[in-house]
Amino acid sequence: MNVEKFAAEVLGQATERAIKAAASPVQKGLRRTLQHLTDAYRPFLFKTHARVESIRTFLRPTESVDLLAHYVPVDLRSGAQDVEVDELIDSLAQGGRFVVSALAGSGKSVLMRYIALSFFHAPRGRIPLFFELRSLNVDGSPSILTAIHEYYRGNSSIEFSDFEAALRSGYFVIILDGFDEISPEKRNEYEREIIRLARDFDNLPIVISGRHDERFNSWEDFTHFQLKSMTLSQARELIRKSNYENEVKEVFLERLTEDFFQKYQSFLENPLLAIMMMLTFEGYAEIPDSLHEFYRIAFDTLLRRHDAMKGQFLRESHSGCSTEQFKQIFASFCVLTYSKSAFSFDRDRAISYLGAAIKQQGADVKAEDLLTDLIESICLLQQEGFEVSFVHRSFQEYFCAVFVANSGSGFVKRYLDDTDSRSYDSVLPMLMGIAQQRVESEWSVDRVSELCDQFPVDVNESELNLHLAGYPRFEFILTERGAILIEVHRTKLARDIRILRSLYPDCEEQHFGDGEARAFDPNDWEKRITSELLELAESGHPDLTEFPDLLERARATKAGERLRLVFNADQTSKSFYKTVFETGFGNWIPFLNDVQEKQRARQSRSNAFLGEVFGPLDI
């Protein structure tokens, strides 16, 4: 591909489209500005193309492969609507705003790169600006736009004001990868900026990827799509396109029948897990049913991949670590980096983290040598330029769970009480799979008992009281056209229930699954929120007496203006909670009681078995 030729066409089309869309009086000045931007950004378009045209795969993390040769498109869904990837790209080129969410390993980042690359191969009058949001953790940039501007302008003299003018003209399409990779303490800040971008730049198309997050449903200027799971035919195509030994692929494809797919669908419908399954099958000829066992065997597979004979592998390793040392040190490294929301880092920082992990384990190993093994031999980490990152974050999450499960007495309770646990990743479910008895004995049994005693199922308004204790305060941000953004204050109680929902996914699915899976209309939801607040204001709620006037003022404000109102909920807010949490309201108390019943049944079976082993206890 002649990148320079395609870049020239992309730039030319974007310039003409932006100028035609502008009012006549400003066209001449805009043309000068865009020409200045074109000259300054041309080298960085090449940089973008180079960044997105190839990918590192789990199979060959030290090699770059052509994205288009390995990409398998998977449809997206919003409510009951299914769209193909190319339809999404066409809508994006027309000015759409989208959030694409999916579980770990579903191919979100590959999709974002494919979207950026498509604007080169089939120019649509917009210049793609591809940006990985995890870099905000390292750079500490005060804003996403500032970070993008600094990244693309390089040493040129392009001013931020010119960059803003081009954004307003529709010159660019912004592709933001990995919202979930922003440090948790910074997400609210950058979320507000993303929402402002959509409101302040009418002609700016934006697409963002991230793991599932409830906050996406309240981004009213964005359509929220979820990547659908792979079908059998897509899984087979992924395996065929993978850069691995043909013989291994053919053997696995022979086993990948309809029945096999149905049995292991939870693994095979996810691109990363499907590839890992092929490796696991190659080494073990069996597939575990649980996720934590799957990752344990996958890790063993990576250790064995370097050489069929473990002894030979150890002689060739740089660090000289045994298999058990690798596991223990890497688990310490993972829990340390996870606690700091560090998913990528420069080489010196990686060595520093490994040094701390080695010291914690009391091992006699050089951090530099171990890092080389993790990159070159075991392939759990990868290096691109000066940046070191996990080959996939799911390994960080698995080994974080391993560390917590194998830690000293009381650590599980302290971890679940104090750590900023991320309920949307895999750490908590895998921790529960590895050490269910420890989790229940050290934390969840007592916590569920406390909550059930505090909010009895047979007491009127227990559900409302539970919500009041978990979400007592809301801040409403009123913007132009009367649109409402909601910031929810969550207490430790709400956090603990979210953790319990992650620890007990069967109960979660039973009580929340159907309601949260149904179609969600953010515009209708916002209208109902507004109606509830107006009714509360009319009934005399002291925090909402000014709400009707503020709403009218907001409807008359110019773009970019914000009006704020703090609302402390009370016993009159039941209907409001039902609207905010939709079908979730009314399910929390039954969920907790269902969990408690399962805990008690499990404890009863355990006591009965211990009685068989040791005989009845003397009282």
Side-chain angles (χ1 to χ4, degrees):
M1 173 181 175
N2 187 330
V3 179
E4 187 167 350
K5 177 183 176 182
F6 274 90
E9 186 174 353
V10 170
L11 290 164
Q13 284 195 19
T15 300
E16 292 307 313
R17 196 209 59 78
I19 291 171
K20 286 179 181 179
S24 297
V26 301
Q27 284 185 348
K28 187 175 181 180
L30 181 60
R31 183 179 290 278
R32 285 196 299 268
T33 297
L34 294 181
Q35 185 59 53
H36 185 33
L37 281 166
T38 296
D39 295 339
Y41 281 6
R42 186 182 297 272
F44 300 98
L45 276 180
F46 300 153
K47 186 177 182 180
T48 296
H49 186 274
R51 180 69 173 159
V52 301
E53 71 171 340
S54 60
I55 55 174
R56 300 284 183 93
T57 70
F58 176 76
L59 290 169
R60 309 283 190 204
T62 60
E63 302 174 9
S64 294
V65 298
D66 182 70
L67 182 146
L68 295 178
H70 293 80
Y71 178 62
V72 176
V74 175
D75 290 351
L76 304 102
R77 170 168 291 179
S78 179
Q81 177 190 9
D82 287 358
V83 301
E84 296 179 356
V85 171
D86 287 341
E87 292 180 84
L88 178 78
I89 295 171
D90 288 339
S91 297
L92 184 65
Q94 296 301 315
R97 280 79 175 267
F98 305 105
V99 176
V100 177
S101 69
L103 298 174
S106 298
K108 301 180 295 294
S109 292
V110 175
L111 172 61
M112 292 296 106
R113 283 164 170 76
Y114 177 79
I115 290 173
L117 196 60
S118 71
F119 278 84
F120 283 94
H121 284 259
R124 293 169 168 86
R126 311 265 190 184
I127 294 175
L129 299 182
F130 175 81
F131 187 74
E132 293 175 297
L133 290 170
R134 67 185 182 188
S135 65
L136 297 171
N137 300 330
V138 179
D139 299 339
S141 175
S143 81
I144 295 171
L145 279 191
T146 300
I148 294 175
H149 174 61
E150 290 297 324
Y151 176 78
Y152 275 94
R153 77 165 184 169
N155 296 322
S156 72
S157 60
I158 198 75
E159 297 292 335
F160 186 76
S161 58
D162 291 334
F163 177 57
E164 279 193 312
L167 289 171
R168 295 187 189 282
S169 73
Y171 190 61
F172 298 116
V173 53
I174 290 185
I175 302 163
L176 303 176
D177 181 38
F179 182 84
D180 55 297
E181 296 189 40
I182 300 174
S183 296
E185 64 272 13
K186 298 180 181 179
R187 282 182 201 161
N188 288 343
E189 173 189 347
Y190 289 122
E191 176 190 17
R192 288 192 289 269
E193 182 185 358
I194 290 169
I195 293 171
R196 286 197 303 271
L197 285 178
R199 296 283 171 84
D200 296 347
F201 296 88
D202 292 338
N203 296 321
L204 177 63
I206 308 171
V207 60
I208 303 163
S209 72
R211 295 195 189 181
H212 297 308
D213 194 322
E214 288 177 345
R215 75 180 77 212
F216 294 149
N217 288 332
S218 65
W219 294 11
E220 66 163 14
D221 290 318
F222 290 80
T223 301
H224 181 193
F225 282 98
Q226 296 183 351
L227 267 178
K228 294 181 66 177
S229 301
M230 287 197 304
T231 63
L232 171 60
S233 62
Q234 289 167 337
R236 290 181 63 85
E237 184 181 1
L238 178 75
I239 297 299
R240 278 194 295 267
K241 286 186 171 184
S242 63
N243 55 328
Y244 205 59
E245 285 79 1
N246 287 330
E247 183 179 350
V248 175
K249 293 194 294 185
E250 290 303 320
V251 171
F252 188 66
L253 285 169
E254 286 180 10
R255 292 296 303 274
L256 189 45
T257 62
E258 181 70 39
D259 290 343
F260 189 83
F261 183 82
Q262 290 295 327
K263 182 176 181 180
Y264 296 109
Q265 185 169 351
S266 61
F267 294 127
L268 289 167
E269 65 187 9
N270 178 291
L272 173 69
L273 298 184
I275 293 295
M276 288 172 56
M277 177 174 278
M278 179 177 68
L279 295 181
T280 302
F281 189 80
E282 177 193 10
Y284 288 85
E286 62 177 340
I287 306 296
D289 292 324
S290 61
L291 190 62
H292 67 278
E293 275 296 299
F294 182 79
Y295 274 93
R296 181 188 65 79
I297 292 178
F299 175 74
D300 290 341
T301 300
L302 290 176
L303 284 173
R304 294 171 59 179
R305 274 178 66 194
H306 188 268
D307 197 282
M309 296 299 293
K310 187 182 297 184
Q312 184 175 346
F313 164 70
L314 292 176
R315 286 195 298 273
E316 293 179 356
S317 72
H318 297 272
S319 63
C321 282
S322 66
T323 298
E324 195 59 31
Q325 281 181 311
F326 270 123
K327 291 180 180 179
Q328 292 171 351
I329 296 172
F330 193 65
S332 298
F333 172 78
C334 287
V335 77
L336 177 60
T337 53
Y338 180 88
S339 70
K340 298 180 181 299
S341 299
F343 312 121
S344 61
F345 15 76
D346 60 39
R347 188 176 179 86
D348 288 343
R349 183 61 60 87
I351 290 172
S352 175
Y353 287 143
L354 281 172
I358 291 168
K359 183 177 180 181
Q360 191 268 336
Q361 290 293 337
D364 183 17
V365 179
K366 290 184 178 179
E368 295 87 345
D369 293 341
L370 183 58
L371 179 60
T372 301
D373 277 338
L374 289 169
I375 294 172
E376 296 181 2
S377 302
I378 312 178
C379 302
L380 285 168
L381 299 178
Q382 60 186 359
Q383 182 168 352
E384 293 188 59
F386 297 105
E387 182 182 74
V388 177
S389 61
F390 289 90
V391 68
H392 198 272
R393 278 175 53 198
S394 55
F395 276 103
Q396 183 191 37
E397 293 164 10
Y398 166 69
F399 277 99
C400 180
V402 167
F403 181 92
V404 175
N406 294 329
S407 55
S409 176
F411 189 89
V412 169
K413 175 176 171 55
R414 181 177 177 184
Y415 179 81
L416 294 174
D417 272 340
D418 300 337
T419 303
D420 183 18
S421 301
R422 303 176 194 111
S423 57
Y424 291 99
D425 63 28
S426 301
V427 172
L428 295 178
M430 286 197 281
L431 173 61
M432 190 66 163
I434 297 169
Q436 177 176 303
Q437 186 173 353
R438 281 201 65 188
V439 171
E440 293 197 334
S441 64
E442 290 191 23
W443 188 78
S444 70
V445 167
D446 288 344
R447 190 63 180 124
V448 169
S449 178
E450 291 169 2
L451 291 170
C452 288
D453 290 345
Q454 187 177 355
F455 305 100
V457 68
D458 56 349
V459 173
N460 191 32
E461 302 300 356
S462 275
E463 186 80 24
L464 173 60
N465 292 331
L466 179 57
H467 278 75
L468 284 168
Y471 302 93
R473 188 171 73 250
F474 300 80
E475 182 173 0
F476 301 105
I477 305 169
L478 284 70
T479 67
E480 69 276 8
R481 304 188 305 276
I484 298 179
L485 308 177
I486 302 179
E487 294 184 1
V488 183
H489 173 69
R490 296 172 173 84
T491 66
K492 184 178 182 300
L493 183 148
R495 166 194 173 276
D496 288 352
I497 290 181
R498 171 51 70 181
I499 289 175
L500 288 167
R501 289 175 64 175
S502 294
L503 293 175
Y504 297 92
D506 291 344
C507 296
E508 150 88 4
E509 177 65 24
Q510 178 182 345
H511 293 282
F512 299 96
D514 292 341
E516 294 189 352
R518 68 184 179 84
F520 179 82
D521 184 345
N523 293 323
D524 176 66
W525 181 70
E526 183 182 313
K527 289 177 183 176
R528 288 186 285 117
I529 294 281
T530 302
S531 177
E532 291 292 342
L533 293 175
L534 287 171
E535 287 188 21
L536 285 168
E538 187 176 346
S539 68
H541 193 289
D543 291 343
L544 297 173
T545 54
E546 298 180 5
F547 178 72
D549 291 338
L550 285 175
L551 185 62
E552 290 304 315
R553 284 172 53 194
R555 287 169 176 165
T557 59
K558 296 182 292 185
E561 294 187 32
R562 301 286 187 270
L563 301 174
R564 292 178 177 267
L565 180 70
V566 174
F567 167 59
N568 293 286
D570 58 21
Q571 292 292 326
T572 67
S573 307
K574 183 174 182 178
S575 182
F576 168 78
Y577 275 115
K578 285 184 176 180
T579 301
V580 170
F581 294 100
E582 298 221 291
T583 54
F585 189 92
N587 290 332
W588 287 19
I589 300 293
F591 165 78
L592 290 172
N593 280 270
D594 192 18
V595 169
Q596 188 174 58
E597 286 183 14
K598 291 183 183 301
Q599 290 174 340
R600 288 173 173 173
R602 198 156 31 242
Q603 186 60 51
S604 176
R605 291 194 300 270
S606 177
N607 291 341
F609 180 75
L610 290 177
E612 291 290 333
V613 174
F614 298 109
L617 295 175
D618 295 329
I619 304 299

Coordinates of all heavy atoms in Angstrom, one line a residue, residues 144 220 281 526:
I144 N -8.0 15.1 27.5 CA -7.8 14.2 26.4 C -7.4 15.0 25.1 O -6.5 14.6 24.4 CB -9.1 13.4 26.1 CG1 -9.4 12.5 27.3 CG2 -8.9 12.5 24.8 CD1 -10.7 11.8 27.2
E220 N -25.9 10.4 26.8 CA -27.1 10.5 25.9 C -26.7 10.9 24.5 O -27.5 10.6 23.6 CB -28.1 11.5 26.5 CG -27.6 13.0 26.5 CD -28.7 14.0 26.7 OE1 -29.8 13.6 27.0 OE2 -28.4 15.2 26.5
F281 N -5.4 -27.0 24.2 CA -5.8 -28.2 23.6 C -4.6 -28.9 23.0 O -4.4 -30.2 23.1 CB -6.9 -28.1 22.5 CG -7.4 -29.3 22.0 CD1 -8.4 -30.0 22.7 CD2 -7.0 -29.9 20.8 CE1 -8.9 -31.2 22.2 CE2 -7.5 -31.1 20.3 CZ -8.5 -31.7 21.1
E526 N -33.8 9.8 30.4 CA -33.6 11.2 30.8 C -34.9 11.9 31.0 O -35.1 12.7 32.0 CB -32.7 11.9 29.9 CG -32.4 13.3 30.3 CD -31.5 14.1 29.3 OE1 -30.5 13.5 28.8 OE2 -31.8 15.2 29.0

